[in-house]
């Protein structure tokens, strides 16, 4: 398969006579007119973007005239069946997923050299940008120097990785790095990197075309709010895109989501997105495009659109896009884009029929509608983003589900389903506990058990380092974090949080002493408008000091709890709570001490820090008392819409964006002074525990060997429904007694320097030891256990770590399989969920259904995704996981066709399983042993 460059310079076919010219402000651009293709005008906005992509990259091989006709003739009601090749304009990465991508590129250079090719041929052909935002941890909080100290610790922990990325920035063309301490990748993307309309010199001609991107993070969809079609892919897919490979995809179904009305007073963008998440999860949009349209679109500010786009992975769609309109143009002007760029965006969108017309209803596959006026203040939790609860019902909802988390609850394994199964149940289906714990004696100190009557309670007294005495209990909010890309990009909710803090301080309220309070904005602009508005001191007063410009709590980088609180939580086995303004709240993600996690708007994060407990009715219970003893309620300190709008209007200015992004790739003095290796090939350090050369290409021949059937396989893990990539992929802190911890100790790393799995993604030895090792994973093959454990049948079926069992199986030459339930691999687009699976020796996964990205990533690593026939499952077939498996029929792939089904035999049981290789391109990747091997061989054959 030949490659395309992002501008379509190769081939240069024009079967439809679409090539034309657009003059903007005296500059002539070559464009590919959509009007040249019959049927284009009736397409949804997102499919028009794809159609332009095919017109521009038509070469008669990857993209043909028939492909273009098929897309223009899209049938809204049809199930996806037609494959097209999409060539994104650019690739965007964050450092957790970007480091292994650059490691792989460096390794590919050596593989090309070893096979007699030119190492310099491994080079991004599409612009690639990486933002370092996932490495900062909120170790220090609640102090004026929290930010400076956390950045200092970040550099100490990550110097090897940062030196490697600085090498990559110099060694690879068209690869740029945004240094640490700048912002979150998705916010940097919408505020600076996104072009909306690209201009690029192609064969001496200046082309204009829609900005499209793929990113190594599922929340790449935040850029959909700007009208940019882009989504998250695995790191291995992103590497292929950087190397000029188009992305194989089926023309999707498109869900039209009509908006009308306006948000009511008191409702925030967070409340809106949680409502939309709930609606779309219930409707079912996995693998589909979602597109917003209608008269209410104009009432949704760009920052709110970005928030909605950001949460696309939480409701399962590939994208959630808003079309270009006046609001898009205003935002581009606000964020300091040049007048020429803004003019090009508007002229191009109007010329190509990409400008939103609220009175027009395109053809859609499915339709939903929301009156914005119906949105109410909401939170989501305790473990899934789609489990929305109105704030007025939050206390009762918490009490209803608490019984599942306290020590006297029936063990999960005795209920007949594992922890992942439990995640698929809404909170309202959980057992309720109504036993009273009696009344305690009056207290003169603050307590999280003050409202404990009527629910499980275990008041635990602690004395903090400063002598403060207090009491924690089930439901205590021990982390309140304004964090993540989702909301910290939005001035209205960020200013709302600061104004609420101001009013709380003026009333004499304080955060509860057991709460770890952190503020981690998505860009420096947030602190700029806080300073201009004079709001920073009030947040500081409540403990919300700046801890860093990065993802922090939302990705598990919350840092440790207050030590005395952590001790009490573990000693009394308390079910405590985090409240964060993020997008992910899966079990085990936020902090290992915390069982229950709730998503909320930034103002509500502050409110829960004041309340100190989830067992509080924020509508009717007081948050505290003022200086004269009067009760203070949330309504008393909630800022009005006008107050927020006035501050935003007076404090936010375009000059902030132009100043903060003026030299965004240069970095500070610490970044610039990092010792950096030079040369086309990276000088691997044999002693490095952060960056190591992976084994993907060891002994790889120039031509692939035939694929073969799987015989004599054993089960590594048998899992239930909704097993996320957070369960599979290594994430969070590294425990001393884990296989990864043992490896680091063997290599002289002290536990205090372990850092997180995410920071060590460039070391495959660490990552495979942490795969399937999430503390909340329940492997049904080893009932009664929790975490990365299985049964090792090379040792008589004894319980062992998944890593140790894998080593024994591989030494014995035994292939492995994983059995799973519905929605296997949902969650973030983690390439290591697939890489780790492959390196553990897993040859196939058999599941009831898959999340789109993870299924694709498995193929990209040479792992075969199989699916039970409709209505069948491991349980219905009587599979225990103790069987030996043969999978027959895979070898049909050697005949250049993909079998629809294969035969599975397991100790006398025989059934058919569906082969989930969905496109010819995916079949090519699998035949080559993975996408990286395919790309490397393609480059060598040029």
């Amino acid at each position: 398969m030949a490659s395309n460059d992002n501008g379509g310079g190769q081939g240069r076919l024009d079967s439809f006579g679409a090539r034309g010219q657009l003059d903007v402000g005296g500059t002539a651009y070559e464009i590919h007119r959509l009007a040249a293709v019959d049927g284009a005008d009736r397409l949804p906005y997102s499919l028009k973007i794809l159609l332009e992509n095919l017109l521009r990259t038509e070469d008669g091989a990857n993209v043909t005239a028939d492909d273009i006709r098929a897309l223009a003739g899209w049938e809204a009601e049809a199930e996806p069946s037609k494959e097209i090749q999409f060539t994104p304009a650019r690739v965007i990465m964050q450092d957790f997923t970007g480091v292994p991508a650059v490691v792989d590129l460096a390794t590919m250079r050596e593989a090309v050299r070893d096979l007699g090719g030119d190492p310099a041929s491994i080079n991004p052909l599409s612009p690639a940008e990486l933002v370092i935002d996932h490495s900062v941890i909120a170790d220090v909080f609640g102090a004026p120097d929290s930010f400076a100290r956390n950045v200092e610790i970040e550099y100490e922990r990550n110097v090897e990785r940062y030196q490697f990325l600085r090498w990559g920035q110099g060694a690879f063309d068209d690869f740029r790095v945004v240094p640490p301490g700048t912002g979150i990748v998705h916010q940097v993307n919408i505020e600076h990197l996104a072009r909306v309309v690209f201009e690029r010199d192609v064969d001496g001609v200046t082309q204009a075309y829609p900005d499209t991107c793929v990113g190594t993070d599922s929340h790449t969809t935040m850029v959909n709010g700007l009208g940019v079609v882009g989504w998250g892919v695995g790191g291995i897919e992103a590497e292929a895109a950087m190397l000029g490979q188009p992305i194989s995809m089926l023309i999707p179904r498109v869900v039209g989501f009509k908006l009308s009305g306006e948000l009511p007073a008191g409702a925030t963008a967070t409340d809106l997105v949680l409502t939309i998440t709930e609606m779309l999860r219930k409707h079912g949009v996995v693998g589909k495009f979602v597109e917003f349209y209608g008269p209410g679109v104009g009432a949704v500010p760009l920052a709110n659109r970005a928030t909605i786009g950001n949460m696309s992975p939480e409701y399962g769609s590939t994208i959630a896009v808003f079309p270009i309109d006046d609001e898009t143009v205003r935002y581009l002007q606000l964020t300091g884009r040049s007048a020429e760029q803004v003019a090009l965006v508007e002229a191009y969108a109007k010329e190509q029929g990409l400008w939103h017309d609220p009175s027009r209803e395109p053809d859609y596959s499915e339709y939903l509608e929301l009156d914005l006026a119906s949105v109410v203040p909401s939170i989501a939790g305790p473990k899934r983003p789609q489990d929305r609860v109105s704030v007025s019902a939050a206390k009762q909802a918490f009490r209803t589900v608490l019984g599942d988390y306290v020590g006297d609850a029936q063990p999960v394994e005795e209920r007949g389903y594992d922890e992942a199964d439990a995640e698929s149940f809404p909170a309202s289906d959980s057992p309720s506990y109504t036993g009273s714990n009696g009344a305690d004696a009056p207290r003169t100190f603050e307590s999280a058990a003050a409202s404990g009557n009527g629910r499980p309670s275990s008041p635990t007294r602690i004395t903090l380092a400063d002598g403060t005495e207090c009491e924690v209990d089930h439901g205590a909010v021990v982390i309140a974090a304004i964090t993540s890309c989702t909301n910290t990009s939005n001035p209205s909710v960020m200013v709302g949080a600061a104004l609420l803090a101001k009013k709380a301080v003026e009333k004499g309220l304080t955060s509860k002493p057991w709460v770890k309070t952190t503020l981690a904005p998505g860009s420096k602009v947030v602190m700029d408008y806080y300073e201009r508005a004079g709001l920073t001191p009030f947040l500081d007063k409540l403990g919300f000091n700046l801890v860093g410009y990065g993802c922090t709590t939302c990705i598990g980088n919350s840092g440790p709890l207050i030590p005395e609180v952590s001790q009490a939580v573990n000693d009394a086995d308390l079910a405590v709570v985090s409240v964060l303004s993020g997008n992910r709240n899966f079990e085990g993600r936020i902090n290992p001490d915390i069982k229950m996690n709730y998503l909320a708007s930034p103002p509500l994060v502050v409110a829960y820090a004041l309340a100190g407990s989830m067992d509080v009715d924020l509508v009717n219970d007081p948050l505290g008392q003022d200086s004269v003893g009067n009760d203070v309620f949330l309504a008393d300190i909630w800022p009005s819409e006008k107050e927020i709008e006035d501050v935003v209007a007076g404090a936010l200015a375009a000059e902030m964006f132009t100043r903060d992004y003026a030299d965004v790739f240069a970095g500070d003095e610490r970044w610039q002074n990092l010792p950096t290796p030079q040369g086309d090939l990276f000088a691997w350090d044999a002693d490095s525990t952060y960056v190591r050369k992976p084994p993907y290409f060891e002994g790889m021949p120039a031509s692939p060997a035939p694929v073969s059937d799987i015989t004599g396989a054993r089960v590594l893990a048998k899992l239930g429904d909704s097993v996320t990539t957070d369960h599979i992929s290594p994430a969070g802190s590294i425990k001393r007694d884990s296989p990864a911890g043992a490896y680091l100790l063997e290599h002289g790393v002290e536990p205090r320097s372990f850092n997180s799995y995410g920071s060590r993604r460039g070391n495959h030895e660490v990552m495979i030891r942490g795969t399937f090792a999430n503390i909340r994973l329940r492997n049904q093959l080893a009932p009664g256990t929790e975490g990365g454990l299985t049964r090792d049948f090379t040792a008589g079926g004894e319980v062992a770590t998944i890593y140790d069992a894998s080593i024994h199986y591989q030494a014995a030459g035994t292939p492995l399989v994983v059995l799973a339930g519905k929605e296997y691999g949902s969650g973030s687009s983690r390439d290591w969920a697939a890489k780790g699976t492959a390196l553990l020796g897993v040859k196939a996964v058999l599941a009831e259904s898959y999340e789109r990205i993870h299924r694709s990533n498995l193929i990209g690593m040479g792992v075969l995704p199989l699916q039970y026939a409709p209505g069948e499952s491991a349980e219905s077939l009587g599979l225990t996981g103790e069987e030996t498996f043969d999978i027959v029929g895979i070898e049909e792939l050697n005949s250049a066709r993909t079998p629809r089904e294969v035969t599975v035999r397991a100790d006398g049981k025989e059934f058919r399983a569906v082969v989930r290789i969905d496109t010819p391109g995916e079949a090519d990747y699998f035949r080559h042993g993975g996408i990286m091997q395919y790309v490397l061989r393609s480059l060598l054959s040029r």
Side-chain angles (χ1 to χ4, degrees):
M1 184 182 291
S3 67
N4 285 322
D5 68 21
N6 60 23
Q10 294 182 357
R12 303 289 288 165
L13 299 182
D14 187 20
S15 299
F16 296 85
R19 196 174 297 143
Q21 184 171 300
L22 175 67
D23 293 315
V24 183
T27 301
Y29 300 93
E30 180 183 277
I31 67 171
H32 289 74
R33 297 184 187 279
L34 295 173
V37 185
D38 290 341
D41 59 335
R42 52 171 278 277
L43 293 178
Y45 172 87
S46 53
L47 295 191
K48 287 181 178 180
I49 301 289
L50 294 185
L51 181 62
E52 188 282 337
N53 197 276
L54 297 187
L55 284 171
R56 182 167 35 85
T57 57
E58 183 192 1
D59 61 1
N62 285 331
V63 179
T64 67
D66 286 342
D67 295 331
I68 295 169
R69 291 189 192 95
L71 181 51
W74 174 73
E75 297 179 13
E77 300 297 325
E79 288 301 314
S81 61
K82 172 61 180 175
E83 179 196 15
I84 59 172
Q85 304 290 324
F86 166 62
T87 306
R90 60 190 175 95
V91 175
I92 190 163
M93 300 179 283
Q94 40 92 335
D95 54 309
F96 272 17
T97 49
V99 165
V102 182
V103 166
D104 292 347
L105 290 179
T107 307
M108 289 176 75
R109 280 194 165 183
E110 295 191 21
V112 167
R113 177 202 61 192
D114 294 344
L115 290 169
D118 178 11
S121 65
I122 303 296
N123 211 57
L125 299 179
S126 297
E129 293 146 339
L130 183 148
V131 180
I132 299 176
D133 68 344
H134 273 50
S135 296
V136 63
I137 300 175
D139 291 290
V140 183
F141 75 100
D145 62 346
S146 296
F147 171 67
R149 291 170 65 190
N150 285 330
V151 170
E152 182 178 351
I153 296 169
E154 176 186 359
Y155 269 89
E156 290 173 359
R157 285 181 175 138
N158 298 286
V159 63
E160 292 177 40
R161 299 168 65 241
Y162 293 171
Q163 287 174 324
F164 175 70
L165 288 175
R166 284 214 66 200
W167 167 79
Q169 190 172 23
F172 295 109
D173 295 334
D174 232 344
F175 173 64
R176 300 189 295 177
V177 176
V178 176
T182 305
I184 298 177
V185 57
H186 310 303
Q187 191 162 344
V188 174
N189 196 12
I190 64 168
E191 290 181 355
H192 182 70
L193 299 177
R195 287 75 156 174
V196 185
V197 174
F198 230 95
E199 58 175 292
R200 192 167 173 88
D201 182 77
V202 180
D203 297 341
V205 175
T206 302
Q207 282 191 352
Y209 51 92
D211 179 11
T212 54
C213 70
V214 292
T216 59
D217 189 284
S218 55
H219 296 103
T220 299
T221 51
M222 187 165 185
V223 80
N224 296 166
L226 269 176
V228 175
V229 170
W231 60 87
V233 296
I236 44 185
E237 293 171 290
E239 293 165 33
M242 283 192 287
L243 294 168
Q245 290 295 310
I247 292 175
S248 268
M249 61 180 292
L250 298 173
I251 301 173
R253 290 175 67 86
V254 183
V255 178
F257 200 122
K258 189 174 185 178
L259 298 176
S260 60
E262 296 185 14
L263 282 179
T268 69
T270 313
D271 306 321
L272 171 60
V273 77
L274 292 178
T275 301
I276 289 174
T277 299
E278 180 187 40
M279 290 176 65
L280 288 171
R281 265 292 176 193
K282 189 176 296 183
H283 179 79
V285 293
V286 172
K288 302 171 186 176
F289 282 12
V290 172
E291 187 169 309
F292 295 91
Y293 74 102
V297 165
V300 180
L302 198 292
N304 293 21
R305 298 179 189 186
T307 304
I308 294 166
N310 178 288
M311 292 284 279
S312 177
E314 277 61 61
Y315 37 86
S317 63
T318 304
I319 64 170
V321 71
F322 283 79
I324 299 169
D325 63 1
D326 287 323
E327 175 62 15
T328 315
V329 169
R330 282 193 293 270
Y331 185 80
L332 292 175
Q333 292 169 334
L334 170 67
T335 50
R337 267 68 168 209
S338 70
E340 294 78 12
Q341 179 69 18
V342 174
L344 174 61
V345 168
E346 182 168 356
Y348 184 89
K350 290 179 175 177
E351 175 69 23
Q352 292 281 59
L354 298 171
W355 191 266
H356 181 234
D357 178 355
S359 65
R360 181 176 173 273
E361 187 159 303
D363 290 347
Y364 289 115
S365 307
E366 303 157 34
Y367 293 85
L368 282 88
E369 186 167 356
L370 174 67
D371 180 356
L372 299 176
S374 66
V375 174
V376 298
S378 303
I379 61 173
K383 57 185 174 182
R384 299 192 310 177
Q386 62 264 38
D387 293 334
R388 185 188 66 84
V389 180
S390 67
V391 170
S392 60
K395 177 179 178 178
Q396 184 55 47
F398 161 75
R399 289 192 164 206
T400 299
V401 77
L402 177 61
D404 287 346
Y405 295 89
V406 296
D408 59 350
Q410 183 184 15
V412 174
E413 60 270 18
E414 293 179 14
R415 292 183 239 146
Y417 52 85
D418 70 4
E419 188 70 20
D421 278 321
E423 288 186 7
S424 69
F425 285 81
S428 58
D429 290 338
S430 301
S432 61
Y433 290 76
T434 57
S436 172
N437 295 284
D440 293 319
R443 299 180 178 87
T444 58
F445 59 97
E446 292 186 290
S447 172
S451 58
N453 292 344
R455 51 103 171 148
S457 184
S458 181
T460 304
R461 186 174 297 207
I462 59 176
T463 302
L464 301 178
D466 64 359
T468 299
E469 290 193 1
C470 56
E471 197 169 61
V472 291
D473 192 12
H474 300 306
V477 174
V478 296
I479 286 180
I482 301 174
T483 179
S484 99
C485 50
T486 310
N487 291 291
T488 63
S489 61
N490 192 321
S492 66
V493 293
M494 294 298 284
V495 167
L499 286 174
L500 190 143
K502 179 176 184 291
K503 289 171 179 283
V505 168
E506 290 170 346
K507 290 282 189 180
L509 302 183
T510 60
S511 297
K512 293 297 186 284
W514 55 82
V515 185
K516 179 173 184 175
T517 45
T518 58
L519 169 65
S523 83
K524 294 180 178 179
V525 173
V526 176
M527 298 310 294
D528 287 346
Y529 59 70
Y530 274 173
E531 290 295 332
R532 180 177 287 191
L535 294 173
T536 306
F538 302 103
L539 287 161
D540 291 348
K541 184 76 172 176
L542 295 184
F544 286 96
N545 301 80
L546 174 70
V547 297
Y549 297 103
C551 302
T552 63
T553 304
C554 192
I555 60 163
N557 283 359
S558 60
L561 301 185
I562 297 169
E564 297 80 9
V565 173
S566 178
Q567 185 72 42
V569 167
N570 285 283
D571 288 350
D573 192 23
L574 298 179
V576 292
V577 170
S578 75
V579 181
L580 63 149
S581 64
N583 46 47
R584 291 280 162 83
N585 57 337
F586 300 131
E587 263 193 293
R589 178 184 180 92
I590 303 306
N591 185 285
D593 290 341
I594 298 176
K595 297 180 180 180
M596 308 175 76
N597 305 291
Y598 289 85
L599 305 181
S601 67
L604 285 177
V605 169
V606 176
Y608 274 108
L610 299 171
S613 174
M614 186 54 61
D615 195 37
V616 171
D617 182 347
L618 291 187
V619 176
N620 297 305
D621 295 343
L623 294 174
Q625 286 72 42
D626 63 18
S627 55
V628 293
N630 296 318
D631 285 343
V632 178
F633 294 86
L634 182 61
D636 298 329
I637 60 173
W638 191 269
S640 69
E641 291 299 309
K642 185 176 187 310
E643 288 176 298
I644 294 172
E645 290 171 2
D646 287 348
V647 170
V648 171
L652 188 60
E655 66 198 44
M656 295 177 176
F657 295 91
T658 54
R659 181 180 65 249
D660 287 340
Y661 288 112
D663 205 5
V664 69
F665 301 106
D668 60 15
E669 185 176 343
R670 184 186 281 111
W671 175 258
Q672 293 172 6
N673 290 335
L674 277 175
T676 306
Q678 303 295 319
D680 289 340
L681 297 176
F682 184 66
W684 303 98
D685 180 356
D687 296 326
S688 175
T689 57
Y690 278 96
V691 179
R692 296 185 71 85
K693 181 181 175 181
Y696 308 127
F697 307 108
E698 289 179 3
M700 188 190 85
S703 299
V707 299
S708 60
D709 292 340
I710 297 170
T711 59
R714 300 305 300 243
V715 175
L716 185 64
K718 181 175 181 287
L719 307 169
D721 293 342
S722 298
V723 171
T724 71
T725 49
D726 282 333
H727 288 109
I728 306 167
S729 181
S733 60
I734 299 172
K735 298 293 187 183
R736 181 189 183 111
D737 59 355
S738 68
Y743 168 86
L744 292 173
L745 288 171
E746 290 169 6
H747 286 76
V749 180
E750 295 297 324
R752 62 183 175 82
S753 301
F754 276 7
N755 210 335
S756 66
Y757 280 110
S759 67
R760 293 187 182 271
R761 291 173 77 100
N763 183 343
H764 63 280
E765 295 287 3
V766 170
M767 298 303 284
I768 58 175
R769 286 165 170 79
T771 302
F772 290 111
N774 183 288
I775 59 174
R776 298 299 178 198
L777 182 78
R778 287 187 178 266
N779 183 356
Q780 295 172 3
L781 186 58
T785 67
E786 191 173 47
L789 298 172
T790 190
R791 291 174 65 197
D792 182 353
F793 292 101
T794 70
E798 69 178 26
V799 174
T801 68
I802 280 178
Y803 172 74
D804 288 339
S806 160
I807 293 298
H808 296 156
Y809 282 123
Q810 292 188 68
T814 303
L816 296 170
V817 296
V818 169
L819 306 181
K822 300 180 181 69
E823 295 183 340
Y824 182 68
S826 56
S828 298
S829 58
R830 296 186 182 277
D831 57 328
W832 263 109
K835 285 182 175 179
T837 298
L839 291 176
L840 287 172
V842 175
K843 302 301 180 184
V845 174
L846 180 56
E848 291 180 62
S849 63
Y850 291 90
E851 206 283 329
R852 174 186 64 87
I853 296 173
H854 186 59
R855 181 197 62 80
S856 176
N857 284 351
L858 288 172
I859 296 168
M861 287 306 300
V863 178
L864 180 65
L866 300 175
Q867 191 162 312
Y868 294 104
E872 291 187 347
S873 65
E875 285 66 34
S876 72
L877 293 166
L879 301 177
T880 65
E882 299 179 11
E883 302 87 353
T884 299
F885 282 73
D886 295 335
I887 303 173
V888 180
I890 304 171
E891 292 177 357
E892 284 189 42
L893 279 157
N894 293 319
S895 64
R897 63 177 296 273
T898 303
R900 182 178 176 275
E901 294 180 336
V902 292
T903 299
V904 182
R905 302 188 182 108
D907 289 359
K909 306 178 184 74
E910 182 173 309
F911 56 95
R912 302 286 285 173
V914 178
V915 177
R916 286 301 314 276
I917 296 177
D918 292 352
T919 70
E922 290 178 345
D924 282 339
Y925 298 150
F926 187 78
R927 291 186 190 101
H928 280 259
I931 193 171
M932 289 184 288
Q933 292 84 346
Y934 172 80
V935 169
L936 193 149
R937 291 184 178 117
S938 298
L939 291 169
L940 284 172
S941 65
R942 287 183 179 178

